[in-house]
Amino acid sequence: MISQPTNLSTYKDQIEFLKLSYHDYIDNDEFSIVKVHEWDLTFPFNSPTFRSDYYSFTIVTNANGSFTVGDDIFELHPNHIVVACPDSYFKIHWTDMEKVYNIAFKKSFILKHFPGGIDNIMEFNTTNGYCCCVTQDTMNYFEQTCIEMHKIATSDLCYKNDLMANLTLNLLFFVQLEKENEPEFKINNEKNNKIVIDFRQNIENNFNKLSQGKCISVMRIKEHALLLNLDENYLSKTISNITKKTVNEWVNKKLVDEIKYLLKHSEKSMKDIAFLYGFNDLNYFYSFFKTQTQSAPGIYRKMHQNT
């Protein structure tokens, strides 16, 4: 029996749902750091499906498993680090674990202490997140930083939030450097253009509201242009020139990822999934999905739920 996605979005609510212990400082939903290996987990461990409102920064010192975010699956092994972005369905699987640290934070937390420039750090040129394998020396640095952050988080220091925000950004810089050192990575000075960042954030906001039933339609070029106070043609050319993908390609990619996840990891009916994402015509939903994936949604579900 596949569990339905929960409606829990905050880190604290998700921990309570799993009946796991947490320190009192997590009453602040904007930031937390936990030693996952100190939780009383039974392996193999499979989490329910959540949709977070925070960034998740998982430092895998020694463990094995996988992190599914949207339609991306990140394999987790010793010396792996994964940053998962908010507003996507996710679940995590652990086969075994010795040491794992998890930092969860909202963008608003970082902005309070570092109001400028953080979009460039959190931009991995992908929708759902980024995963990399680091050297042992780098992992040692990450682990020592996590231990220090945990001590600060659970202390009574007056400026502990400033310190934790600083250390979190420091680790994110390291991950960004790992990304830039990959052979296939091409530095594009314009990739973090504010219009692109705001456009992609608006896509995430739109789909987050759809999943919560707070909105009934997928935003397209007209709605995005109005929200950004831009001419449609200018927005279209800006997005295409900088990202090499059109506005519709960005929106459709996110839409298909969301549908795929629910087909694979939930028992929601086709009608419910279609209605959730603004398809009032079930036949059009089938046609759209098949055009985008070359597979009918029913066949896609059977193929992935049987594997």
Side-chain angles (χ1 to χ4, degrees):
M1 187 83 169
I2 297 174
S3 60
Q4 296 289 343
T6 75
N7 293 320
L8 304 175
S9 60
T10 70
Y11 197 66
K12 179 186 173 185
D13 286 344
Q14 292 167 2
I15 292 175
E16 288 181 339
F17 181 81
L18 294 171
K19 298 180 179 179
L20 299 171
S21 60
Y22 61 88
H23 193 276
D24 289 345
Y25 81 88
I26 297 184
D27 283 340
N28 173 3
D29 280 331
E30 288 192 312
F31 179 89
S32 67
I33 177 168
V34 298
K35 298 177 181 179
V36 182
H37 51 275
E38 291 187 352
W39 281 339
D40 187 20
L41 301 180
T42 301
F43 301 102
F45 172 81
N46 290 288
S47 78
T49 295
F50 295 117
R51 189 183 184 91
S52 64
D53 62 1
Y54 56 84
Y55 285 87
S56 176
F57 196 177
T58 304
I59 294 90
V60 184
T61 303
N62 192 357
N64 294 281
S66 63
F67 203 147
T68 302
V69 192
D71 199 44
D72 294 332
I73 300 177
F74 300 115
E75 294 297 329
L76 303 180
H77 301 292
N79 292 359
H80 274 65
I81 294 168
V82 59
V83 181
C85 299
D87 302 329
S88 292
Y89 291 108
F90 83 90
K91 67 175 185 176
I92 192 162
H93 166 75
W94 294 109
T95 55
D96 59 82
M97 180 186 300
E98 185 175 321
K99 280 188 181 179
V100 173
Y101 303 87
N102 182 256
I103 302 168
F105 63 94
K106 292 185 181 179
K107 189 174 181 179
S108 56
F109 176 79
I110 303 296
L111 283 171
K112 285 180 182 178
H113 308 282
F114 295 91
I118 68 167
D119 283 323
N120 291 356
I121 302 168
M122 297 182 186
E123 175 60 53
F124 294 100
N125 201 27
T126 181
T127 302
N128 297 320
Y130 172 69
C131 184
C132 61
C133 182
V134 299
T135 65
Q136 187 61 55
D137 286 344
T138 300
M139 178 53 68
N140 290 342
Y141 174 78
F142 269 74
E143 183 175 11
Q144 288 305 311
T145 303
C146 286
I147 292 171
E148 181 180 354
M149 289 175 71
H150 191 270
K151 288 180 180 178
I152 293 170
T154 55
S155 74
D156 295 323
L157 290 174
C158 295
Y159 301 104
K160 68 179 184 179
N161 287 342
D162 300 81
L163 292 170
M164 291 187 297
N166 187 303
L167 290 169
T168 300
L169 282 178
N170 185 43
L171 294 183
L172 285 168
F173 272 123
F174 268 87
V175 175
Q176 190 77 313
L177 288 173
E178 289 291 329
K179 175 68 175 174
E180 292 180 7
N181 287 331
E182 292 180 354
E184 70 274 13
F185 183 81
K186 295 181 180 180
I187 297 176
N188 181 348
N189 291 329
E190 294 184 301
K191 75 171 185 177
N192 294 318
N193 180 289
K194 189 174 187 307
I195 291 175
V196 175
I197 291 171
D198 289 346
F199 163 69
R200 288 174 57 178
Q201 184 59 58
N202 289 340
I203 290 178
E204 298 300 325
N205 293 342
N206 178 216
F207 278 90
N208 199 35
K209 289 179 180 178
L210 284 165
S211 72
Q212 296 173 355
K214 296 179 180 179
C215 140
I216 59 172
S217 61
V218 173
M219 289 170 55
R220 293 291 178 176
I221 181 69
K222 180 179 179 179
E223 292 80 12
H224 279 288
L226 284 171
L227 192 59
L228 294 169
N229 197 26
L230 296 172
D231 175 77
E232 288 183 34
N233 289 331
Y234 179 75
L235 175 61
S236 179
K237 288 179 181 178
T238 300
I239 297 300
S240 296
N241 290 339
I242 294 175
T243 70
K244 309 306 177 187
K245 287 164 56 174
T246 68
V247 168
N248 270 341
E249 285 174 336
W250 275 108
V251 173
N252 286 342
K253 172 65 167 60
K254 180 65 175 178
L255 177 55
V256 170
D257 278 359
E258 296 272 311
I259 294 170
K260 281 182 175 179
Y261 194 91
L262 291 181
L263 289 173
K264 289 193 290 187
H265 304 295
S266 83
E267 292 182 337
K268 284 183 178 291
S269 68
M270 297 294 177
K271 183 178 179 181
D272 287 344
I273 295 174
F275 182 76
L276 186 64
Y277 294 110
F279 292 93
N280 295 320
D281 184 336
L282 199 55
N283 288 329
Y284 179 59
F285 169 74
Y286 289 138
S287 175
F288 169 82
F289 188 84
K290 190 167 185 178
T291 299
Q292 295 293 320
T293 66
Q294 286 72 57
S295 175
I299 294 174
Y300 184 89
R301 166 169 270 175
K302 287 181 180 178
M303 180 172 61
H304 287 278
Q305 287 194 353
N306 290 334
T307 58

